[in-house]
Amino acid sequence: MGSLWHGMTMSQHNLMQNPMLKAGIIAIGKRNMAQTAPDTPLIPLAEAKRFISECLQAVGAPKKHADAMGDLLVAADRRGHMSHGMNRLEMFVNDIRSGNCDPKAVPKILKETVATAWVDGQNGLGVVIGDFCMGTAIKKAKEVGIGIAAAKGSNHYGISSRYNFQAVKEGLLGMNFTNTSPFLAPTRSKKAFFGTNPIALAAPGKEGDKFVLDVSTTAVSYGKIEIARRKGIPIPEGWAQDKDGRTTTDTNIAMAPTSCLMPLGGSETNSGYKGYGLAFIVEIFAGILSGATYGPNIKRWLSTERVADLGQCFIAINPKCFAPGFEDRLSDLMNAIRKSEPADPAKPVVVPGDIEKQQAIAVDKAGGVRYIANQMETCKRLSEQLKVKPLRGQP
Amino acid sequence: MGSLWHGMTMSQHNLMQNPMLKAGIIAIGKRNMAQTAPDTPLIPLAEAKRFISECLQAVGAPKKHADAMGDLLVAADRRGHMSHGMNRLEMFVNDIRSGNCDPKAVPKILKETVATAWVDGQNGLGVVIGDFCMGTAIKKAKEVGIGIAAAKGSNHYGISSRYNFQAVKEGLLGMNFTNTSPFLAPTRSKKAFFGTNPIALAAPGKEGDKFVLDVSTTAVSYGKIEIARRKGIPIPEGWAQDKDGRTTTDTNIAMAPTSCLMPLGGSETNSGYKGYGLAFIVEIFAGILSGATYGPNIKRWLSTERVADLGQCFIAINPKCFAPGFEDRLSDLMNAIRKSEPADPAKPVVVPGDIEKQQAIAVDKAGGVRYIANQMETCKRLSEQLKVKPLRGQP
């Protein structure tokens, strides 16, 4: 199974051993755990959620907040976004233990109209802030057709699709933006000014069908570069640049701390300035509008030097305020694309979200996920440190 | 002068002779006319507007509508987007003469809330519909913080930045989307399902400074391929694909009618699926929401077989409903990026909109634009056919 919408098209078993990845610094796309980690126990989703929730409760999160985090991370694993699932638990635990995130904090609205809300996340858990903001946007969209909520004082909020799904469940379009730690150099620049700054939108089709896009505005994730490095093959030009701002095909140079990711498109010749411009749009919605920390001022990824103060923006739109039949039209277009003749018969044409949906079905059929051995060890260590009942699965 | 935000980085004088370009099928980025067409007269902007307006009035447009079109096209020429300026006049005249666009039509609101409007463009001029929709969105944004207007029954609306500038003039963020005739194949597909589907946003900085992004979601415009063809050099992989959906470096194959443009990013390996997903988002906002014709159902570019029934969506957001100091923060970030050290000292780091602004300053300083000879001939023919006073300039 490929992974069209998160940048990985191959199994990445041994990649998960990488310490940068373990620490969450490398974003890894989807993979079928049931296929690639046969030697670890099968963990039912409810058990994974229980474990995550109890770990977070052990460091002070109220049960409701901890459960939301369990849902968030397990939903990522279920959809194949393993980088954003259990893999991030230790980071969240560390964020709380270092005092850089307040797991008890509840977001508050600082200013609002019938259609807008400015929110202070009060340095709470990203998922709590995200749920609150999208809930606020949905309520407004139901009343006046569109709602927008922008939050400062937030933290990493996991997979964007969680919040957009909440809108789709109500028959609405959901869209959101977050800024992140600097990795991306603007076209022509040597310095990182933006994070992977994703653009995410979900929209309802007919009979439960959905359009679900969630893409970073960088050319690729670090994970793709890491895979090339392990294979000993050069990367294409346009993925990463060295400290002097020159595109590099050398994976060791690409992964040096002084190097940067390049924007979607790559070089200026290949329209990388578009990816840079789109990353900037995300920053405007996420950081500039909300009054959060923005651009190069955001702390380095995983650093515990200070709070993150990320900015996020959530938009819900009610299609019923526009032309009747939105769901029919969207399904018609999605199905026409799915049925279109592929260049390679082995690779069917898909719509954003299709591969994640297939992955979720496979996980449900298997009865859970199999984490790689390294992840299981991390969970064992967390259970010992936090005095939480160990993660239990079936052979 | 480069043209970072419209895909051209070199002078394209002889390119303008190309019949596809003359017909408007090739989007050409900015160029300094004063430098590249010294043998044609200098046309003051007011004279260019006069000529466009009178041509459109000659085919039945009310003066107000014709003047708006004059403003639209001349603003494009002034900012260096010559493809979207006077170059498009003949297309608009033909659209009206063939009965495919009603220059007298006035858009009407079919459904609205305090924050939303569903608009029927009634097959009027794109600029009339765009001005109406953005005006509606601005009014709503001033009242409730955000306004969104989606129109069906529209036509080509020129450069997106016109409408976003209207929002910025009022201290708001402006964003808009349009669908267009099919050119772009989804990742893995052989068939064009989307147009160049641009994403455009403008936002106000301090003291008149602005962020102005307007980028298509295709890898490149046809213009870049055409330039490579004229130079006899191959194009990079990821710009275009042949009838079998394989990326091609052969410019003749790339420009065949059965070929397609590839999405921003290019191949699946280089994250072209992100560009495809972004083009799809534009279609959702523009075509699906509004109930316009969408995706592959849109008529071929320049065909007179039927009306276009394009869809467009306009959003205005009042930053004052969020954290105070939006303009300060945006200018701070823009200036930090502008001051950042470039990889190549000859190519300063710029912010979206900077190059167009420099071009506009150059045009104002020169006192007008110099169109290429081919364009001047087209104008002469139009003046004869339509009995309009010829375009007059200074030597």
Side-chain angles (χ1 to χ4, degrees):
Chain A
M1 178 177 298
S3 62
L4 203 50
W5 271 270
H6 256 243
M8 308 303 285
T9 47
M10 57 198 83
S11 165
Q12 299 133 8
H13 193 200
N14 62 358
L15 175 57
M16 299 298 279
Q17 307 306 320
N18 182 284
M20 285 178 83
L21 184 136
K22 206 177 130 261
I25 207 165
I26 301 175
I28 294 298
K30 62 196 61 56
R31 53 196 290 276
N32 188 332
M33 282 294 143
Q35 285 168 4
T36 56
D39 299 333
T40 58
L42 182 75
I43 311 290
L45 300 185
E47 168 64 1
K49 284 183 200 178
R50 191 270 312 159
F51 182 75
I52 293 165
S53 178
E54 288 184 8
C55 285
L56 290 163
Q57 289 180 62
V59 291
K63 184 169 187 305
K64 199 177 152 193
H65 294 185
D67 283 350
M69 191 67 96
D71 279 344
L72 172 75
L73 302 189
V74 171
D77 288 336
R78 178 171 173 263
R79 289 175 65 77
H81 295 304
M82 308 301 292
S83 64
H84 282 59
M86 185 70 84
N87 177 53
R88 289 270 161 90
L89 173 61
E90 192 174 22
M91 179 190 88
F92 287 115
V93 166
N94 289 343
D95 264 2
I96 294 168
R97 288 204 285 200
S98 66
N100 281 304
C101 172
D102 175 3
K104 296 188 173 68
V106 175
K108 69 172 178 190
I109 292 177
L110 298 172
K111 201 189 282 183
E112 70 180 319
T113 72
V114 291
T116 69
W118 178 34
V119 173
D120 183 351
Q122 306 209 98
N123 196 30
L125 293 170
V127 68
V128 172
I129 297 160
D131 285 353
F132 177 83
C133 287
M134 186 52 94
T136 301
I138 288 171
K139 211 184 311 170
K140 291 173 188 292
K142 283 181 161 183
E143 285 168 14
V144 298
I146 188 167
I148 176 172
K152 65 172 182 172
S154 192
N155 285 290
H156 182 70
Y157 70 4
I159 50 168
S160 304
S161 54
R162 171 184 177 86
Y163 315 102
N164 294 339
F165 283 170
Q166 292 165 2
V168 168
K169 214 170 163 182
E170 305 286 334
L172 312 174
L173 284 73
M175 193 167 193
N176 67 71
F177 306 96
T178 184
N179 60 15
T180 57
S181 301
F183 286 117
L184 171 70
T187 302
R188 300 182 175 182
S189 177
K190 294 181 181 181
K191 185 182 160 186
F193 275 85
F194 297 105
T196 52
N197 289 17
I199 295 178
L201 179 138
K206 268 198 307 189
E207 295 157 8
D209 197 6
K210 286 190 278 286
F211 171 93
V212 185
L213 186 78
D214 174 7
V215 293
S216 73
T217 47
T218 49
V220 293
S221 65
Y222 271 110
K224 275 202 173 176
I225 299 170
E226 174 65 11
I227 288 172
R229 192 163 71 91
R230 287 177 177 273
K231 287 185 173 175
I233 56 172
I235 52 172
E237 295 198 350
W239 286 15
Q241 62 183 48
D242 67 15
K243 66 180 172 45
D244 296 318
R246 291 172 304 212
T247 182
T248 181
T249 58
D250 181 323
T251 52
N252 288 314
I253 292 172
M255 300 201 70
T258 49
S259 295
C260 294
L261 290 178
M262 291 176 76
L264 176 60
S267 67
E268 184 170 347
T269 307
N270 279 355
S271 308
Y273 54 87
K274 296 182 184 182
Y276 152 40
L278 293 169
F280 206 142
I281 281 189
V282 173
E283 188 60 77
I284 287 173
F285 275 101
I288 306 287
L289 201 60
S290 69
T293 300
Y294 53 86
N297 309 322
I298 299 174
K299 71 172 183 179
R300 284 168 300 122
W301 179 242
L302 296 184
S303 102
T304 53
E305 71 205 74
R306 60 179 188 275
V307 302
D309 185 28
L310 296 187
Q312 285 144 8
C313 184
F314 302 80
I315 300 172
I317 298 172
N318 188 351
K320 294 200 171 54
C321 292
F322 302 91
F326 177 91
E327 299 182 0
D328 294 340
R329 287 190 297 280
L330 182 55
S331 278
D332 173 60
L333 181 54
M334 291 196 294
N335 289 331
I337 290 175
R338 286 170 179 141
K339 282 179 199 148
S340 84
E341 198 185 350
D344 174 354
K347 291 184 177 172
V349 186
V350 293
V351 158
D354 284 358
I355 289 172
E356 290 84 349
K357 191 180 171 183
Q358 289 163 17
Q359 175 67 14
I361 290 168
V363 165
D364 292 348
K365 200 176 158 194
V369 292
R370 290 186 195 272
Y371 294 108
I372 55 164
N374 185 291
Q375 179 66 64
M376 291 303 291
E377 281 159 31
T378 302
C379 289
K380 185 159 174 276
R381 195 174 65 247
L382 282 171
S383 87
E384 288 162 3
Q385 286 174 358
L386 304 174
K387 315 252 180 286
V388 164
K389 197 178 98 186
L391 191 60
R392 285 280 156 77
Q394 301 135 19
Chain B
M1 179 178 291
S3 63
L4 203 51
W5 271 272
H6 257 241
M8 307 304 284
T9 48
M10 57 198 86
S11 166
Q12 299 132 13
H13 193 203
N14 60 359
L15 176 57
M16 299 296 279
Q17 307 308 322
N18 181 282
M20 286 177 82
L21 184 136
K22 207 179 130 258
I25 207 165
I26 300 175
I28 294 296
K30 61 196 62 51
R31 53 198 289 278
N32 189 332
M33 283 294 140
Q35 285 167 6
T36 55
D39 298 333
T40 59
L42 183 75
I43 311 290
L45 300 184
E47 167 64 0
K49 283 184 202 179
R50 192 270 313 157
F51 182 75
I52 293 166
S53 178
E54 288 185 7
C55 285
L56 289 163
Q57 289 180 61
V59 290
K63 183 168 189 305
K64 198 177 153 193
H65 294 185
D67 282 350
M69 191 68 95
D71 278 343
L72 172 76
L73 301 189
V74 171
D77 287 336
R78 177 172 174 261
R79 289 176 65 77
H81 295 304
M82 307 302 290
S83 64
H84 283 59
M86 184 70 84
N87 176 53
R88 288 271 160 89
L89 173 61
E90 192 174 22
M91 179 189 88
F92 287 115
V93 166
N94 289 342
D95 265 0
I96 295 168
R97 288 204 285 198
S98 65
N100 281 304
C101 171
D102 175 4
K104 295 187 173 68
V106 175
K108 69 172 178 190
I109 292 178
L110 299 172
K111 203 190 279 184
E112 70 179 318
T113 71
V114 291
T116 69
W118 178 35
V119 173
D120 184 350
Q122 305 209 101
N123 197 31
L125 293 170
V127 68
V128 173
I129 298 161
D131 285 354
F132 177 82
C133 287
M134 187 51 96
T136 302
I138 287 170
K139 211 185 310 170
K140 292 174 187 292
K142 283 181 161 181
E143 284 168 16
V144 298
I146 188 167
I148 175 172
K152 65 172 181 171
S154 193
N155 284 291
H156 183 69
Y157 68 6
I159 50 167
S160 305
S161 55
R162 171 183 177 87
Y163 315 101
N164 294 338
F165 283 170
Q166 292 166 1
V168 168
K169 214 170 165 183
E170 304 287 335
L172 311 175
L173 284 73
M175 193 168 193
N176 67 70
F177 307 97
T178 184
N179 60 15
T180 57
S181 301
F183 286 118
L184 172 70
T187 301
R188 300 183 174 182
S189 177
K190 294 181 179 182
K191 185 182 160 186
F193 275 86
F194 298 105
T196 51
N197 289 15
I199 294 178
L201 180 139
K206 267 198 307 191
E207 293 156 12
D209 198 6
K210 283 189 279 289
F211 171 93
V212 185
L213 186 78
D214 174 7
V215 293
S216 73
T217 47
T218 48
V220 292
S221 65
Y222 272 109
K224 274 201 173 177
I225 299 170
E226 175 65 10
I227 288 172
R229 190 164 71 92
R230 286 176 178 274
K231 287 186 173 175
I233 57 172
I235 52 171
E237 296 199 349
W239 285 15
Q241 62 182 48
D242 66 14
K243 65 179 172 49
D244 297 317
R246 290 172 306 212
T247 181
T248 182
T249 59
D250 181 324
T251 53
N252 288 314
I253 293 173
M255 299 201 71
T258 50
S259 295
C260 295
L261 290 178
M262 291 177 76
L264 175 60
S267 67
E268 185 170 344
T269 307
N270 279 356
S271 308
Y273 54 88
K274 296 182 183 181
Y276 153 40
L278 294 168
F280 206 142
I281 281 187
V282 173
E283 187 59 76
I284 287 173
F285 275 101
I288 306 287
L289 201 60
S290 68
T293 300
Y294 52 87
N297 310 321
I298 299 173
K299 71 172 183 179
R300 285 168 301 122
W301 179 242
L302 296 185
S303 101
T304 53
E305 69 204 78
R306 59 178 188 275
V307 302
D309 185 28
L310 296 187
Q312 285 145 6
C313 184
F314 302 79
I315 299 172
I317 298 172
N318 188 350
K320 294 201 171 54
C321 292
F322 302 91
F326 177 90
E327 298 182 0
D328 294 338
R329 286 190 297 281
L330 181 57
S331 277
D332 173 60
L333 181 54
M334 291 195 295
N335 289 331
I337 290 174
R338 286 169 179 141
K339 282 178 200 148
S340 84
E341 198 185 348
D344 174 356
K347 291 184 178 173
V349 186
V350 293
V351 158
D354 284 358
I355 289 171
E356 290 84 350
K357 190 180 171 184
Q358 289 163 17
Q359 176 67 12
I361 290 168
V363 166
D364 292 349
K365 201 176 159 195
V369 292
R370 289 187 196 272
Y371 295 107
I372 55 163
N374 184 290
Q375 179 67 64
M376 292 303 291
E377 282 159 31
T378 302
C379 290
K380 185 160 173 275
R381 195 175 63 245
L382 282 171
S383 86
E384 288 161 4
Q385 286 174 359
L386 303 174
K387 316 251 181 282
V388 163
K389 196 178 99 184
L391 191 60
R392 286 277 157 78
Q394 302 134 19

